[in-house]
Amino acid sequence: MGVKTLQIYKFLQKTIEVMKRIFSSNYFRNLAKELGIERISFECASELALIVQEKVSEILKVANEFAKHAKRNTIFREDIRLAIKKLGIRI
């Protein structure tokens, strides 16, 4: 593994850790309340958080491949869009 690849891998790992804090089960419980949903179980909120974290991780990894292919170290919006399309995620 090259130095740049290792740096990118560490960056993605840090990004994923930050994302886990942002998209926590509490985030989804609060979002549910904002949407007028009176109650949501902790298990439901936790599952939503896990799903979002996993999907965003997949998207970031594939987007990074597109950026690398373009000889860039920066992931752009188009990389994200292409990654979502490649993964077959409907939004």
Side-chain angles (χ1 to χ4, degrees):
M1 191 179 307
V3 174
K4 284 195 176 200
T5 304
L6 185 59
Q7 289 172 338
I8 292 167
Y9 177 77
K10 287 181 180 180
F11 171 76
L12 287 175
Q13 288 300 105
K14 286 181 184 177
T15 301
I16 291 166
E17 288 304 314
V18 169
M19 183 182 54
K20 285 180 181 179
R21 287 192 296 272
I22 293 170
F23 293 117
S24 65
S25 59
N26 285 334
Y27 169 82
F28 288 101
R29 293 180 92 178
N30 291 335
L31 179 61
K33 286 179 185 177
E34 288 176 20
L35 295 172
I37 299 168
E38 290 184 33
R39 298 182 69 195
I40 182 172
S41 71
F42 178 78
E43 292 82 12
C44 178
S46 296
E47 186 67 19
L48 283 170
L50 182 62
I51 290 167
V52 169
Q53 292 165 8
E54 288 175 357
K55 288 300 174 189
V56 171
S57 296
E58 285 179 44
I59 292 167
L60 281 173
K61 288 176 184 174
V62 174
N64 187 53
E65 292 172 12
F66 282 113
K68 288 292 152 212
H69 180 73
K71 296 184 170 95
R72 289 185 276 107
N73 291 326
T74 304
I75 296 173
F76 291 139
R77 177 188 297 176
E78 188 61 23
D79 299 321
I80 297 294
R81 289 180 176 163
L82 289 169
I84 288 169
K85 185 175 180 179
K86 180 179 180 180
L87 291 168
I89 299 171
R90 295 182 59 180
I91 297 180

